[in-house]
Amino acid sequence: MDEIFGTWSHPARPASLWLDSAESWDFDPVQSGSAFDVVIIGAGFTGLWTAVHLLNRDPTLRIAILDAVQPGFGASGRNGGWCSAAAPMSLEYVAQLSSRQQAIDLQHALNDTVDQIGLFIQSHNIKCGWQKSGTLTFATIPAHLMHSENTVKSYRDFGFGDEQISVLNAEQAATRINVHGALGATYTPHCATIHPAQLVDGLVRYLLSRDVLFFGQSRVTSFGNGVVAAKTPHGPVSMQTEWAIRATEGFTAHLSHYRRAVAPIYSYMIATEPLSRDIWEQLGWNGRETFADARHSVIYAQRTPDDRIAFGGRGAPYKFASNINPKFDMNRAVHDRIEATMKQLFPAVADVEITHRWGGVLGAHRNWCTSVSVDPDARIAAAGGYVGDGVAFTHLAARAIADRITRTESTESRLFFNSVSSKKWEPEPLRWLGVNSLLRINSLSDIYERRRNKSSRFLEWIIGLFVK
Ligand SMILES: Cc1cc2nc3c(=O)[nH]c(=O)nc-3n(C[C@H](O)[C@H](O)[C@H](O)COP(=O)(O)OP(=O)(O)OC[C@H]3O[C@@H](n4cnc5c(N)ncnc54)[C@H](O)[C@@H]3O)c2cc1C
């Protein structure tokens, strides 16, 4: 069994709730001697959207998508299903690295991207539970109210009004979702809830209908300068291509030459059994908004199309040397913590059964910024570093790749993430120490804020020093 990827067959198939009600793709491995215009490495949202946009630009392109396992194996088949206009970098950070206008343009582009994805889903009749009803971020302690105030102030400073983010007092928030101890919430309409694996399936079907070739169990080992080499169950193969596109996100560190490019960070989720009408009456949540609160160690949830709660959280330790292994998809301590948090926020679910527990890797660049790179000499392009905000951002990044490769002038190809590049992560053990210290400071800040009833500035200070 491959250490990083396991095998696609049971029991190594991830235990993601979403994969239970999605296709079990079984594409054959690629064979030697093939030739393509574009080879895309990775069949998650980045790879799939890149193929969609490339075909929009040039329908004659011969495109192959290779995955080490099968489509949807990575984060795209396991995430929280927030199709959101959020980005891992704040408006201030983008302005600091680029310009105020770039920060504003990026936010508008992300808002618009959510709608473009919705249109694509609608016009291709993809059944993936799409509902655009925004995100509610609750405050359950006074420090959260301060964080929310700062977030809203930041948007206002960049000229965004209530149409971007608005404030709900405790009473108004309670009419949307009944959250224990809620003091208020912020609301942004720029998010839809989806069944992510069914969106993967819809994209695969669409691309098959456009004659894109898919290959599974084809783990790429090297690429660039017109050649892609892969390891398959039948042995090593190589193929010719004009362009190679790396869409490997959290798994990138396991490609030679990219070991320190992207740190894989685990995020974990649980799902309840479908909840009774009685429980939903207690919870409210009729709008199916995506749910979070303003703590530092990110939590996220949605009411699923089949009336469960799918609830996730970050904060699990980073594995030494960017290690990834299917056995890390389960983490009893983290899953228990997520369950306890969910039950504390929603006492109505205290006795419900947790039917699914799973995890997956996000990818983070050293500067915490999403980026798109195109190297016309080596004929390599890449997008990634979405941290936990890639469901919509992949669509935007993929548009930029497609435009730049086909030399199409566009707004997307001039956005900030096209010109930012991150330095490499530190060698081990410094990387392990750095990433885990940041994660630990996040959770300590939450404890401090809960106990002291005031906001901790320590984290911002540390991040300011570390993320450069
Ligand atoms: C638990 C969890 C919850 C999340 N929740 C959200 C959310 O609610 N909203 C949001 O916006 N984002 C969320 N994210 C992040 C989001 O899912 C990702 O940013 C997004 O799916 C990234 O898509 P991708 O195609 O770049 O990468 P992936 O979906 O990870 O796909 C990469 C693919 O590349 C393949 N691959 C890797 N290496 C090779 C190789 N050498 N050769 C061939 N193939 C290879 C893998 O098998 C995989 O299929 C979450 C992530 C996780 C893990």
Side-chain angles (χ1 to χ4, degrees), residues 272 313 344 408 410:
T272 66
Q344 186 258 324
T408 310
S410 73

Side-chain angles (χ1 to χ4, degrees), residues 177-193:
I177 310 179
N178 188 6
V179 178
H180 178 70
L183 303 173
T186 58
Y187 174 71
T188 172
H190 300 289
C191 182
T193 168

Side-chain angles (χ1 to χ4, degrees), residues 350-421:
D351 297 323
V352 305
E353 195 192 332
I354 305 302
T355 54
H356 295 75
R357 294 175 175 83
W358 72 97
V361 279
L362 321 162
H365 289 138
R366 172 67 171 73
N367 64 358
W368 225 252
C369 280
T370 306
S371 68
V372 165
S373 60
V374 175
D375 176 346
D377 297 326
R379 304 195 85 68
I380 291 173
Y386 311 102
V387 193
D389 293 315
V391 172
F393 211 144
T394 46
H395 182 281
L396 178 60
R399 259 184 287 154
I401 291 191
D403 290 346
R404 288 175 65 185
I405 285 184
T406 56
R407 295 175 187 277
T408 310
E409 261 305 299
S410 73
T411 320
E412 288 82 351
S413 57
R414 285 191 300 272
L415 287 169
F416 148 83
F417 53 74
N418 289 285
S419 51
V420 69
S421 65

Side-chain angles (χ1 to χ4, degrees), residues 35-39 61-62 224-228 239-245 375-380 405:
F36 304 99
D37 296 315
V38 180
V39 169
L61 288 173
R62 293 166 309 155
N225 301 310
V227 182
V228 172
M239 68 218 80
Q240 307 290 316
T241 182
E242 269 294 299
W243 281 94
I245 297 175
D375 176 346
D377 297 326
R379 304 195 85 68
I380 291 173
I405 285 184

Side-chain angles (χ1 to χ4, degrees), residues 58-79:
D58 181 353
T60 67
L61 288 173
R62 293 166 309 155
I63 301 177
I65 306 185
L66 272 57
D67 201 283
V69 190
Q70 294 289 341
F73 172 79
S76 300
R78 315 185 191 196
N79 60 64

Side-chain angles (χ1 to χ4, degrees), residues 72-366:
F73 172 79
S76 300
R78 315 185 191 196
N79 60 64
W82 287 39
C83 182
S84 154
M89 50 277 187
S90 67
L91 293 171
E92 284 84 1
Y93 189 36
V94 176
Q96 189 190 325
L97 293 176
S98 178
S99 70
R100 178 183 153 81
Q101 193 54 47
Q102 277 286 0
I104 295 169
D105 291 348
L106 177 63
Q107 189 60 64
H108 283 301
L110 282 165
N111 293 349
D112 182 51
T113 294
V114 175
D115 292 330
Q116 289 199 34
I117 294 173
L119 267 179
F120 185 92
I121 287 170
Q122 200 184 8
S123 51
H124 297 286
N125 199 18
I126 298 175
K127 302 271 179 281
C128 63
W130 169 272
Q131 183 163 330
K132 189 181 173 204
S133 44
T135 297
L136 286 162
T137 304
F138 275 74
T140 55
I141 55 171
H144 292 174
L145 285 176
M146 290 175 237
H147 297 317
S148 303
E149 242 172 60
N150 291 340
T151 307
V152 173
K153 180 176 176 315
S154 155
Y155 277 106
R156 299 292 180 260
D157 288 348
F158 282 84
F160 292 95
D162 273 2
E163 74 294 340
Q164 184 67 35
I165 188 165
S166 55
V167 178
L168 277 62
N169 63 27
E171 235 172 59
Q172 291 165 325
T175 63
R176 310 287 278 271
I177 310 179
N178 188 6
V179 178
H180 178 70
L183 303 173
T186 58
Y187 174 71
T188 172
H190 300 289
C191 182
T193 168
I194 59 162
H195 181 311
Q198 288 179 349
L199 178 56
V200 168
D201 290 348
L203 287 169
V204 173
R205 279 193 212 102
Y206 169 81
L207 290 168
L208 288 170
S209 77
R210 301 286 308 264
D211 296 329
V212 168
L213 295 178
F214 280 86
F215 298 100
Q217 297 178 67
S218 304
R219 179 176 175 182
V220 170
T221 47
S222 69
F223 55 96
N225 301 310
V227 182
V228 172
K231 214 168 89 180
T232 75
H234 312 304
V237 297
S238 72
M239 68 218 80
Q240 307 290 316
T241 182
E242 269 294 299
W243 281 94
I245 297 175
R246 177 174 62 74
T248 50
E249 188 60 346
F251 303 92
T252 303
H254 295 277
L255 284 163
S256 49
H257 307 304
Y258 294 90
R259 304 225 174 270
R260 287 162 52 201
V262 179
I265 295 175
Y266 273 86
S267 190
Y268 289 90
M269 294 200 69
I270 59 171
T272 66
E273 61 185 320
L275 302 181
S276 66
R277 187 186 295 204
D278 177 45
I279 292 182
W280 283 117
E281 270 167 20
Q282 294 176 58
L283 290 173
W285 213 337
N286 297 320
R288 284 191 60 213
E289 301 90 345
T290 48
F291 163 87
D293 74 10
R295 75 186 65 202
H296 297 285
S297 294
V298 175
I299 56 162
Y300 48 92
Q302 67 150 291
R303 176 177 180 171
T304 65
D306 63 346
D307 272 344
R308 304 163 187 264
I309 296 178
F311 200 109
R314 293 194 218 150
Y318 156 83
K319 307 285 180 191
F320 191 81
S322 298
N323 200 358
I324 301 173
N325 190 304
K327 71 179 182 216
F328 302 149
D329 292 356
M330 289 295 174
N331 184 325
R332 188 82 222 180
V334 178
H335 282 129
D336 285 353
R337 209 161 58 224
I338 293 172
E339 182 178 343
T341 303
M342 177 183 73
K343 292 186 170 175
Q344 186 258 324
L345 291 165
F346 305 125
V349 302
D351 297 323
V352 305
E353 195 192 332
I354 305 302
T355 54
H356 295 75
R357 294 175 175 83
W358 72 97
V361 279
L362 321 162
H365 289 138
R366 172 67 171 73

